[in-house]
Amino acid sequence: METRQVKAGPAGDSTKRSDWWSPSDDKLFEKLLEENLDSHGGSIQSVLEAVAAKIPTKNLEAVKRRYELLEEDIKNIEAGRV
């Protein structure tokens, strides 16, 4: 999966660290997502909360945004745009 970098706001903005995803952050995110999908009864909110709790540098909003980007990537791949 391609690593996307999201520009953070002004210096000192608390979202700065949670908006940038390193390759190791991405790998951990995808691993935790896969591990938690079956164990949370299909509730994506529960899954994302569990994933966010296990990635110390990311908050729930950052995890939600990353999930939305992943969904978009999958749709583009399935549609043959990638």
Side-chain angles (χ1 to χ4, degrees):
M1 180 177 148
E2 171 188 344
T3 300
R4 294 183 186 193
Q5 294 180 3
V6 179
K7 289 188 178 183
D13 185 342
S14 64
T15 62
K16 185 175 182 180
R17 280 183 47 158
S18 65
D19 280 348
W20 185 82
W21 290 75
S22 70
S24 60
D25 289 336
D26 267 336
K27 190 175 231 175
L28 178 59
F29 167 75
E30 290 178 8
K31 178 181 180 245
L32 292 170
L33 188 62
E34 184 178 355
E35 288 174 1
N36 285 278
L37 277 173
D38 291 332
S39 63
H40 285 85
S43 166
I44 195 61
Q45 180 69 26
S46 307
V47 170
L48 297 178
E49 288 171 1
V51 169
K54 294 176 183 174
I55 305 177
T57 58
K58 306 299 176 209
N59 60 29
L60 180 57
E61 289 306 310
V63 169
K64 284 181 180 179
R65 284 190 300 271
R66 197 67 184 163
Y67 179 76
E68 290 166 356
L69 289 173
L70 179 62
E71 281 187 314
E72 183 181 320
D73 285 346
I74 290 169
K75 287 177 186 174
N76 286 329
I77 290 167
E78 290 175 344
R81 291 182 279 236
V82 177

